[in-house]
Amino acid sequence: MSNPMQAKELLIRAVECDQSGRILEAQTLYTDGIDQLMNFVNGEPDEAKRKVFHTRIKEYMDRAEAIKARVNGKLMLGEVVSHVSIEENDTGYDYDQVFGQYMDRKTIEILVEEPYMQQNYQYANLVRFLELAITNCPNLKYFRLITKEAQDPKYTDNQKTNLGQIKADLERRNIAVSIKYEDSLHDRKIYLSNGFIIKIGRGLHFYKAPNPMYSIGLNNYKFRKCLQTDVDIWRNNSSKS
Amino acid sequence: MSNPMQAKELLIRAVECDQSGRILEAQTLYTDGIDQLMNFVNGEPDEAKRKVFHTRIKEYMDRAEAIKARVNGKLMLGEVVSHVSIEENDTGYDYDQVFGQYMDRKTIEILVEEPYMQQNYQYANLVRFLELAITNCPNLKYFRLITKEAQDPKYTDNQKTNLGQIKADLERRNIAVSIKYEDSLHDRKIYLSNGFIIKIGRGLHFYKAPNPMYSIGLNNYKFRKCLQTDVDIWRNNSSKS
């Protein structure tokens, strides 16, 4: 799979994204490009050539480190601009009502940290979130999901299939997607590249199931009963950088 | 079950609904009240009493006939106010976009003639329609669904259960519901008591299934691909009567 042309292409795109402020996508591309280059270099028999490559790799790694620092800076919480406590059994809170106003034309990249993405209603919530993102953020170019890998064998295959299909669907809409598994993840967070960070205690999954199934609230989540959770909207201090 | 007090109560409510312009609900109440009264009278041994009751029943039947004529008049199509042809695979057509603007504060009663209401996606479409009705028509008091009775045993029980649960759910929101089965039904029609009649060739079911399941359009039907169908919005001639 790995060849220097492919690596080069990834790294050129990484630099382009970096320069145009798409730092999440740049981070992914640097990482992938460096990985590919390393794989190739390890198979290169000529030591002189390997040395040249290693110098290049070092340069890219420095850039990747710099961008990692920028990403981490962006993810640092700044000031709280809104706080809402949703009480058990409250209604009136669809995603649009809760945080739709913070998703706008300036949102070019989105990062969702959501530990639980393994069951049908959880995939449905993710799609619901992405439908809102596509509606409100016409310039969205990159989406990263970080979630836990399903351990229960009954969910593992579905997780790969469903997240893979969601990724392919977004890519057909020219939104690059990266899905990362992190088993230690706990906190839920939605980072928007316009500088807002949405922290919901329960993440995207703060709704009760409809009961009975076919009742008002099945589709329109403004009618859904909620679980208790807090919604904090932060604005990143470095959002102008 | 039947007793004269219950019949009397139904018929008093029928007259009230009739007088306040809720003619669909009045029609249901007259029919139910007359049925109850008939059942009771048939069990009355005293012929003189039976005769008195029959006179009353005759009066109510005349009123019921008069209201039936009014309902039929309302259901007569007047002039077309809008025509839209939805092409196969078109997107952008959720219920709100297609006919939401005709559902308003003046809509007190709704009648839906929809032959096929037997499968999961069809119940989901009905709930989606009702969510829009509740959102746009704050004064909605009565909903009647006319549909075909499921013949396939694998759907029969579900139809009773699901439509029963939808009815109970609306009644908790103070919307009276009547569900009628008519096996000869073919045409789809949505009658709104503000005078608009929505005729869609495929009724509520003009969407393709999401493919794959978890993809944009699962929840937000503006992103769903449509089947070819025509949407005609009529305005009833007698809507001021």
Side-chain angles (χ1 to χ4, degrees):
Chain A
M1 275 289 286
S2 70
N3 67 61
M5 289 308 291
Q6 219 170 358
K8 191 180 167 190
E9 201 185 293
L10 287 168
L11 292 164
I12 288 172
R13 280 173 50 210
V15 173
E16 284 169 2
C17 283
D18 188 355
Q19 286 169 348
S20 66
R22 288 153 63 181
I23 59 170
L24 288 178
E25 188 170 3
Q27 187 182 29
T28 299
L29 291 166
Y30 275 127
T31 311
D32 294 352
I34 290 168
D35 276 358
Q36 294 243 355
L37 210 50
M38 294 270 243
N39 284 340
F40 172 76
V41 172
N42 290 338
E44 171 59 55
D46 183 332
E47 197 185 324
K49 281 192 185 169
R50 275 215 307 279
K51 213 167 174 187
V52 174
F53 274 121
H54 276 138
T55 313
R56 298 292 298 276
I57 288 174
K58 177 72 175 59
E59 284 171 26
Y60 283 120
M61 283 176 108
D62 289 346
R63 289 202 200 189
E65 272 305 305
I67 213 155
K68 190 178 169 190
R70 280 181 66 195
V71 168
N72 288 342
K74 295 277 189 189
L75 294 177
M76 296 261 287
L77 302 174
E79 43 163 4
V80 174
V81 294
S82 159
H83 169 81
V84 176
S85 280
I86 298 176
E87 298 301 327
E88 188 88 0
N89 292 322
D90 271 0
T91 55
Y93 295 107
D94 64 0
Y95 292 157
D96 195 14
Q97 207 281 328
V98 174
F99 52 72
Q101 63 183 300
Y102 304 104
M103 306 177 87
D104 60 14
R105 307 186 64 79
K106 289 186 188 160
T107 309
I108 292 164
E109 301 192 309
I110 295 178
L111 162 63
V112 169
E113 293 183 358
E114 179 59 72
Y116 296 100
M117 204 52 78
Q118 309 185 8
Q119 294 187 56
N120 291 347
Y121 77 92
Q122 294 168 339
Y123 303 121
N125 283 344
L126 177 61
V127 171
R128 188 175 286 266
F129 170 80
L130 292 169
E131 287 170 344
L132 180 63
I134 289 171
T135 303
N136 286 11
C137 314
N139 299 312
L140 185 63
K141 293 282 184 293
Y142 177 84
F143 172 68
R144 186 189 300 172
L145 171 69
I146 304 179
T147 190
K148 286 189 186 200
E149 194 158 18
Q151 298 302 325
D152 186 334
K154 111 180 147 191
Y155 294 132
T156 318
D157 286 356
N158 271 346
Q159 189 181 45
K160 293 286 172 301
T161 306
N162 292 335
L163 295 182
Q165 288 177 342
I166 289 169
K167 176 177 156 79
D169 188 35
L170 290 181
E171 288 179 341
R172 274 192 294 276
R173 294 170 186 274
N174 297 315
I175 299 166
V177 177
S178 163
I179 294 168
K180 307 255 175 217
Y181 296 100
E182 266 184 31
D183 290 340
S184 61
L185 193 66
H186 175 270
D187 272 24
R188 287 78 169 165
K189 192 192 287 175
I190 298 169
Y191 160 80
L192 308 174
S193 67
N194 63 0
F196 287 104
I197 296 171
I198 300 150
K199 290 201 76 176
I200 306 174
R202 292 179 186 269
L204 294 174
H205 313 315
F206 58 86
Y207 297 105
K208 293 193 168 184
N211 180 18
M213 170 69 117
Y214 297 105
S215 58
I216 299 300
L218 173 63
N219 314 290
N220 184 337
Y221 277 26
K222 275 210 175 145
F223 293 109
R224 272 284 178 104
K225 285 186 182 166
C226 293
L227 297 161
Q228 193 284 320
T229 200
D230 284 352
V231 180
D232 296 317
I233 312 287
W234 295 73
R235 196 174 161 80
N236 184 286
N237 276 337
S238 68
S239 60
K240 286 178 198 89
S241 77
Chain B
M1 278 289 285
S2 70
N3 68 60
M5 290 308 292
Q6 219 170 359
K8 194 180 163 188
E9 202 185 292
L10 287 168
L11 291 163
I12 287 172
R13 280 173 50 210
V15 173
E16 284 170 2
C17 282
D18 189 355
Q19 285 169 349
S20 65
R22 287 154 62 180
I23 61 170
L24 288 177
E25 189 170 4
Q27 188 182 30
T28 299
L29 291 166
Y30 274 127
T31 310
D32 293 352
I34 290 167
D35 276 358
Q36 293 244 355
L37 209 52
M38 293 271 244
N39 283 341
F40 173 76
V41 172
N42 290 340
E44 170 61 56
D46 183 334
E47 198 185 326
K49 282 192 184 169
R50 276 215 305 280
K51 214 166 173 185
V52 175
F53 274 120
H54 276 139
T55 312
R56 297 291 298 276
I57 288 173
K58 179 68 175 61
E59 286 170 25
Y60 284 119
M61 284 176 107
D62 289 346
R63 289 202 200 188
E65 271 306 307
I67 212 154
K68 188 178 169 189
R70 280 182 65 197
V71 168
N72 289 342
K74 294 276 189 187
L75 293 178
M76 297 261 287
L77 302 175
E79 44 162 4
V80 174
V81 294
S82 160
H83 168 82
V84 176
S85 280
I86 298 176
E87 299 302 326
E88 188 88 0
N89 292 323
D90 271 0
T91 56
Y93 294 107
D94 66 359
Y95 292 157
D96 194 15
Q97 207 281 330
V98 175
F99 52 71
Q101 62 183 302
Y102 304 104
M103 305 178 87
D104 61 14
R105 308 186 63 80
K106 290 186 185 158
T107 309
I108 293 163
E109 301 191 311
I110 295 178
L111 163 63
V112 169
E113 294 182 359
E114 179 59 73
Y116 297 101
M117 203 52 78
Q118 309 184 7
Q119 295 186 54
N120 291 347
Y121 78 91
Q122 295 169 338
Y123 303 120
N125 282 344
L126 177 61
V127 171
R128 189 174 284 267
F129 170 80
L130 292 168
E131 288 171 343
L132 180 63
I134 288 172
T135 303
N136 286 11
C137 314
N139 299 311
L140 185 64
K141 292 283 186 292
Y142 177 84
F143 172 68
R144 186 189 299 170
L145 171 70
I146 304 178
T147 191
K148 286 189 185 199
E149 194 159 18
Q151 299 302 324
D152 186 333
K154 108 180 148 189
Y155 294 133
T156 318
D157 285 355
N158 270 346
Q159 189 180 46
K160 293 286 172 301
T161 305
N162 291 336
L163 294 182
Q165 288 178 341
I166 290 170
K167 177 177 155 79
D169 188 36
L170 291 181
E171 289 179 342
R172 273 192 294 275
R173 294 171 186 272
N174 297 314
I175 299 166
V177 176
S178 162
I179 292 168
K180 306 256 175 218
Y181 295 101
E182 266 183 33
D183 290 339
S184 60
L185 192 65
H186 174 270
D187 273 24
R188 286 79 170 165
K189 194 192 286 174
I190 299 170
Y191 161 80
L192 308 174
S193 67
N194 62 359
F196 287 103
I197 296 171
I198 299 150
K199 290 200 78 177
I200 306 173
R202 293 180 186 268
L204 295 175
H205 313 316
F206 58 85
Y207 296 105
K208 293 193 167 184
N211 180 19
M213 170 69 116
Y214 296 106
S215 58
I216 299 301
L218 173 64
N219 313 290
N220 184 338
Y221 277 27
K222 276 207 175 149
F223 293 108
R224 271 284 177 104
K225 284 185 182 168
C226 293
L227 297 160
Q228 193 285 322
T229 200
D230 284 351
V231 180
D232 296 317
I233 312 287
W234 296 72
R235 198 174 160 80
N236 184 285
N237 277 336
S238 67
S239 59
K240 287 178 197 88
S241 78

